[in-house]
Amino acid sequence: MGRVTPKSRTVLWPLQLLLVAILLGPALFFAYTAWDDYRRIREHAEERIERALDVVQEHSLKALQTIERTMAETNEVLRGLTPEQILAEEARLQSRLRRTQDALPQIEAIWVFDKAGRPLVSSTILPVPRDLDNSDRDYFKMQAEQDAGTFIGETITSKVGNIRFFVVSQRRPTQDGSFDGIVAVSVRPEHFREFYGRIARGIADSFGLIRADGEFLARYPSRGTEPMRLNPQSGFIRSIQQNQQVGRFIATSQIDGIERWIGYRKVPGYPVYVQVGVETAAVWWELWSQMRWLLAFGLPATLGLFAISLLALQRTRSFHAEIERREVAEAALKQAQRLEAVGHLTGGVAHDFNNLLMVVKGNVDRLRRYPMEERQKRSLDAIDTAAGRGASLVRQLLSFSRQQTHEPEIVDVSRYLLDLHDMLRSSLRGDIAIDMRLPPGLWNTKVDLNELELAILNIAVNARDAMPDGGRLLIEAWNLNLRDPDVIGLRGDFVALSITDSGSGIPEEVLPHVFEPFYTTKAVGKGTGLGLSQVYGFARQSGGAATALSEAGRGTTITLYLPRTIEAAAGGSAPAGEPPVRSAHGHVLLVEDNLDIAEVTRASLEEIGFQVTHAADAQTALTILRSGTRIDLVFSDIVMPGDLNGVDLARIVRSEQPSLPVLLATGYSNVAQAAMDDGFTILRKPYNLAELSACIDRLLGFVPLKVSA
């Protein structure tokens, strides 16, 4: 072995230093990067906690202030009334309290108790059970001992109804300061829990509304069965003993055993705190997810490459973050513009298409009046059928664009669903079985049939997409009387219509968002997110509601609650035939800018016995009306050229000649619903001769003459 000379040492020293650098450099780089990422991730988590605390503190403060104002309002209503007077006016006072409760979703009930703890009046029960004794409840005992101000009690189970809630109470004011009972407001923990669930995604995983003694009034997530009180050794109680207003600590939850970074704040003016937590395991997993690539590719890097790469990484990361933010904003804007454009395009196409169908159907009706061979008759029938299908398609397009007027009608749910079976079969794949369970005696409902059909189709298409390998679609309906408005926010008689699939189900974190507009979990281009929002909008427009229940891997159930009607469903419409012979004739002013439609309509009106004068616009029609010409009926299209449309014309006619009937026709118009709301009769394009005749009969009061065969 040779001797190491000074020259060799001079040559080897840089190499040895390089070897040390190759080993030490990546280790130092990894340690630094791990520390920097951990600091950044922790700072981000702390920022998320602070943002969440801002939101939940404001929400809790507003809710408690609203409850406090409710108690003050209740005390003002009862001011000067003795217990005997309150009992004597219980019905009136209950109605007043009920209106207050219905306006506030967080309130379960409003109670007034006398000084013995017995109820005097309640917003939910009439009459109150006088044998009920709540003097053992903490919210009563604290006020009985001394004036506790606004006292927030522990979570309890009601003695009537087995409902979980917590109670906020105040003394009833007296002139001498003596105890004369309390006003107590029962608060639903679900109100807070549902709010926490809505804001939890991407912000934090644990939220709570908690008293200083460790009693959770509301917590998310919660199964509803676990203990909801912390012991005195908990991190929260120890922390508030040191800082009663705001703080942060790391602790393992006594509720679910998960370690979290937890931040809390006191709700100003109230003896409760809001609490937000982020799992430490999630923080470590995020750090590991970012660092493992470095272990795989960073070890052979040199110190110089590390410095250059780090600089490039930091700049590229900022650059890509900015690009991503811009792409998200641009995509949202493009989607909104596309949907708006599709809606306008749909409405415009529907209008023009309806005019074409009007000409087709009108001429078919005219040709039917002439003698013809059987083959010619079959050809006309085929044309008429195709035009009818086109009209149905136009109605569906208008429903999509939300430009269809609402036309409720009586629906026999059993018969309607059975008739819908074939359409659903054609909309689904052959590997999906449809099962209907419709008990006898289903109530009728009054809804817009087109909107109902669209809602059922939207649900069915979603179910189809959730069953790529086939499955089963179960359609059920039943009568339902809702007595508790807290169930779905409604009270009364409803027909419940549910559609259940055997598909993949909806994840728990997605379920609260399924009815939100534009919310979709489908791939780009596979869905707009409007389907279930249209279902919910239809149900609410109809005076009902819609709910979604699902469990991942076990299917989804969408239920529509449609209000019951006591009106009887109309029988099947009579087949179109010869128009009825009339006992009178008249003069019709036809206002139509489309000459083809005007010609068809003029022929139809003349054929059923009317003299017709045509005007191409509203101004011309007004000139004719004001000239003194006798007119028995004004029949006008809604969409007209010029400054006045058909609705404007109808309103002017009503003001100048109130006794002159006006009939409006339209294939599409965003003012048609306003015309219906004003009480004008609307005839939908395309219409046939029988529909036109029947509509005029109703307006003019004609009585069809019975003609013997």
Side-chain angles (χ1 to χ4, degrees):
M1 201 160 90
R3 182 171 63 90
V4 178
T5 65
K7 185 176 180 180
S8 299
R9 187 177 295 110
T10 302
V11 174
L12 291 176
W13 180 81
L15 297 177
Q16 292 170 345
L17 183 61
L18 179 60
L19 290 175
V20 172
I22 290 174
L23 295 175
L24 186 60
L28 293 174
F29 167 64
F30 178 81
Y32 170 78
T33 305
W35 172 82
D36 185 66
D37 283 349
Y38 174 80
R39 177 185 56 80
R40 182 177 48 78
I41 292 170
R42 179 161 183 168
E43 287 176 354
H44 180 59
E46 291 173 349
E47 290 173 359
R48 286 159 47 198
I49 290 174
E50 288 301 312
R51 291 200 306 271
L53 283 172
D54 289 339
V55 174
V56 296
Q57 184 186 44
E58 181 68 13
H59 174 263
S60 300
L61 179 61
K62 294 298 184 185
L64 292 173
Q65 287 176 340
T66 301
I67 293 167
E68 196 168 31
R69 286 196 297 270
T70 299
M71 291 189 292
E73 179 183 340
T74 302
N75 275 324
E76 186 63 29
V77 170
L78 302 177
R79 181 181 297 276
L81 296 181
T82 65
E84 292 76 19
Q85 291 172 326
I86 293 174
L87 290 173
E89 296 187 51
E90 184 179 2
R92 179 183 67 82
L93 295 174
Q94 192 269 348
S95 177
R96 174 69 179 273
L97 297 182
R98 184 68 193 184
R99 290 197 301 272
T100 301
Q101 175 194 332
D102 289 343
L104 302 173
Q106 68 267 35
I107 292 181
E108 177 73 26
I110 305 171
W111 289 81
V112 179
F113 295 93
D114 64 18
K115 60 185 179 182
R118 299 189 183 280
L120 295 173
V121 65
S122 167
S123 64
T124 57
I125 299 176
L126 181 69
V128 293
R130 288 291 295 160
D131 57 344
L132 181 65
D133 184 2
N134 277 21
S135 60
D136 59 333
R137 298 298 200 186
D138 65 337
Y139 61 85
F140 184 90
K141 291 193 294 186
M142 291 296 295
Q143 299 288 5
E145 293 173 0
Q146 60 181 1
D147 188 351
T150 300
F151 179 79
I152 301 177
E154 62 187 9
T155 303
I156 57 176
T157 301
S158 65
K159 296 179 179 179
V160 178
N162 196 30
I163 300 171
R164 295 286 293 175
F165 54 85
F166 64 90
V167 177
V168 182
S169 67
Q170 282 185 353
R171 274 191 172 194
R172 290 190 59 207
T174 57
Q175 292 184 351
D176 58 1
S178 62
F179 180 64
D180 193 30
I182 66 169
V183 173
V185 175
S186 303
V187 183
R188 298 173 55 244
E190 290 81 3
H191 170 76
F192 296 90
R193 218 163 28 233
E194 290 167 1
F195 176 77
Y196 298 156
R198 290 196 298 271
I199 68 171
R201 188 174 182 182
I203 297 179
D205 62 84
S206 173
F207 296 81
L209 181 65
I210 186 171
R211 300 197 316 175
D213 61 357
E215 170 80 11
F216 276 99
L217 302 176
R219 186 180 186 275
Y220 175 88
S222 172
R223 297 186 300 272
T225 57
E226 67 269 34
M228 299 293 281
R229 179 184 287 272
L230 304 175
N231 64 43
Q233 301 305 315
S234 68
F236 168 72
I237 293 180
R238 292 200 307 269
S239 183
I240 65 171
Q241 289 173 349
Q242 299 175 5
N243 190 335
Q244 294 185 354
Q245 300 300 320
V246 61
R248 191 177 297 132
F249 59 93
I250 299 177
T252 300
S253 172
Q254 296 175 2
I255 306 299
D256 55 20
I258 297 176
E259 184 183 75
R260 293 183 176 89
W261 289 349
I262 296 175
Y264 67 88
R265 289 184 190 171
K266 191 175 185 296
V267 179
Y270 297 95
V272 291
Y273 296 80
V274 290
Q275 193 181 92
V276 175
V278 173
E279 291 184 18
T280 56
V283 174
W284 288 114
W285 173 253
E286 184 179 356
L287 177 63
W288 166 246
S289 298
Q290 295 190 16
M291 295 303 301
R292 55 186 175 182
W293 69 269
L294 188 59
L295 288 173
F297 302 103
L299 291 177
T302 63
L303 186 60
L305 182 60
F306 157 72
I308 296 174
S309 299
L310 181 61
L311 179 61
L313 176 63
Q314 291 173 341
R315 291 184 176 180
T316 302
R317 184 176 295 168
S318 300
F319 176 72
H320 278 287
E322 180 63 26
I323 289 179
E324 184 177 354
R325 285 193 294 270
R326 291 184 180 182
E327 288 178 346
V328 170
E330 289 174 0
L333 178 60
K334 287 179 180 178
Q335 183 187 38
Q337 292 173 337
R338 179 176 63 83
L339 290 174
E340 182 178 1
V342 169
H344 287 299
L345 177 62
T346 299
V349 170
H351 172 257
D352 294 340
F353 194 40
N354 263 330
N355 283 339
L356 296 175
L357 290 174
M358 183 66 241
V359 176
V360 173
K361 289 182 69 67
N363 283 289
V364 167
D365 282 342
R366 293 176 65 183
L367 290 174
R368 286 184 190 276
R369 309 303 170 201
Y370 297 99
M372 65 186 71
E373 298 177 2
E374 185 64 27
R375 184 174 61 180
Q376 294 172 327
K377 183 178 179 181
R378 287 197 301 270
S379 297
L380 284 180
D381 289 342
I383 295 172
D384 191 47
T385 300
R389 291 177 178 173
S392 177
L393 175 60
V394 170
R395 284 180 177 270
Q396 292 182 11
L397 290 174
L398 289 175
S399 294
F400 162 75
S401 63
R402 309 304 294 172
Q403 294 164 347
Q404 178 77 310
T405 52
H406 212 55
E407 298 182 37
E409 54 187 286
I410 312 303
V411 179
D412 181 332
V413 177
S414 294
R415 187 169 64 182
Y416 175 75
L417 290 177
L418 290 174
D419 292 342
L420 201 66
H421 186 278
D422 290 339
M423 185 192 70
L424 287 176
R425 168 53 52 210
S426 63
S427 300
L428 302 177
R429 299 189 307 273
D431 57 359
I432 298 177
I434 300 178
D435 184 13
M436 287 193 178
R437 297 179 184 175
L438 307 175
L442 277 177
W443 294 329
N444 292 336
T445 185
K446 190 172 185 179
V447 295
D448 188 301
L449 272 180
N450 291 317
E451 295 294 326
L452 176 59
E453 180 178 310
L454 180 62
I456 294 175
L457 281 175
N458 275 327
I459 299 171
V461 168
N462 275 9
R464 180 196 64 193
D465 295 342
M467 298 183 288
D469 300 322
R472 176 170 169 266
L473 191 70
L474 174 62
I475 300 177
E476 297 180 279
W478 63 95
N479 298 330
L480 180 65
N481 178 268
L482 293 174
R483 300 181 181 275
D484 185 357
D486 292 328
V487 177
I488 58 172
L490 298 172
R491 182 193 295 273
D493 292 336
F494 294 86
V495 179
L497 169 60
S498 74
I499 301 178
T500 303
D501 63 62
S502 58
S504 55
I506 301 174
E508 181 181 356
E509 66 275 11
V510 173
L511 190 60
H513 305 283
V514 294
F515 290 125
E516 294 178 5
F518 307 111
Y519 186 87
T520 179
T521 57
K522 297 179 182 178
V524 176
K526 299 295 184 181
T528 64
L530 290 172
L532 290 182
S533 67
Q534 289 176 336
V535 171
Y536 183 80
F538 156 71
R540 297 300 293 179
Q541 264 189 309
S542 302
T547 61
L549 295 175
S550 183
E551 186 175 344
R554 303 189 66 178
T556 301
T557 298
I558 304 293
T559 303
L560 298 175
Y561 298 89
L562 306 177
R564 176 192 183 185
T565 180
I566 59 175
E567 301 178 58
S573 59
E578 296 294 330
V581 179
R582 287 175 168 72
S583 60
H585 300 283
H587 190 183
V588 174
L589 175 59
L590 173 62
V591 189
E592 173 60 66
D593 63 297
N594 187 305
L595 295 181
D596 291 333
I597 296 177
E599 176 61 28
V600 170
T601 307
R602 174 194 287 273
S604 298
L605 290 169
E606 290 175 345
E607 188 165 343
I608 58 179
F610 288 100
Q611 178 186 352
V612 180
T613 298
H614 173 238
D617 55 59
Q619 290 290 357
T620 303
L622 287 174
T623 301
I624 295 172
L625 288 169
R626 291 164 179 168
S627 68
T629 304
R630 175 182 172 82
I631 299 295
D632 298 294
L633 172 70
V634 176
F635 181 24
S636 174
D637 189 18
I638 288 183
V639 179
M640 300 287 292
D643 296 332
L644 299 178
N645 59 33
V647 179
D648 298 328
L649 173 62
R651 289 168 177 162
I652 294 173
V653 171
R654 175 180 283 179
S655 65
E656 295 182 357
Q657 303 184 42
S659 61
L660 179 59
V662 178
L663 175 60
L664 298 175
T666 184
Y668 148 75
S669 174
N670 55 5
V671 297
Q673 188 66 54
M676 294 179 68
D677 294 340
D678 285 350
F680 294 110
T681 301
I682 305 293
L683 182 60
R684 289 284 170 197
K685 292 181 180 179
Y687 49 83
N688 57 32
L689 186 59
E691 292 169 340
L692 174 61
S693 177
C695 199
I696 293 176
D697 280 348
R698 290 193 299 271
L699 273 175
L700 298 182
F702 281 149
V703 178
L705 298 178
K706 296 184 178 179
V707 180
S708 58

